[in-house]
Amino acid sequence: MTDFIGDPDRRSVPDIPARFTDPLPVLAVGTVAWLIATAVVWLSGARWAEARPVCLMGLAVGLLGYTIFSVQRAAARRGAKTAQTGLS
């Protein structure tokens, strides 16, 4: 039986491609989806009045997430010590 701890070929794990780790597409698609939902609910009149606050908060959370991501990415690019890693 082979010891995986001592085998250097088994310890190397390939890096995940950047397209799978980039949060920008997820944030963009989610925010646009909330924007579309908000527009549909708003234009439908009183029929979906109860859903307006949910759509507005979804849109606000999406925009907040995108803002935080943008600030962290800018900090990582300029080399700030407190920035998240892997966002360049």
Side-chain angles (χ1 to χ4, degrees), residues 13-82:
V13 177
D15 290 336
I16 298 173
R19 68 176 188 257
F20 294 132
T21 60
D22 188 19
L24 185 61
V26 176
L27 288 169
V29 169
T31 303
V32 168
W34 278 113
L35 180 64
I36 292 169
T38 302
V40 168
V41 166
W42 203 274
L43 295 174
S44 69
R47 181 177 177 187
W48 291 96
E50 297 86 19
R52 283 183 193 157
V54 174
C55 289
L56 289 173
M57 287 301 107
L59 183 60
V61 167
L63 292 173
L64 177 66
Y66 184 76
T67 302
I68 291 171
F69 169 74
S70 298
V71 168
Q72 284 293 320
R73 181 175 267 186
R77 286 184 176 167
R78 73 172 179 265
K81 290 190 316 184
T82 58

Side-chain angles (χ1 to χ4, degrees), residues 2-15:
T2 310
D3 185 18
F4 293 118
I5 295 172
D7 190 1
D9 294 334
R10 297 276 185 166
R11 289 188 300 188
S12 62
V13 177
D15 290 336

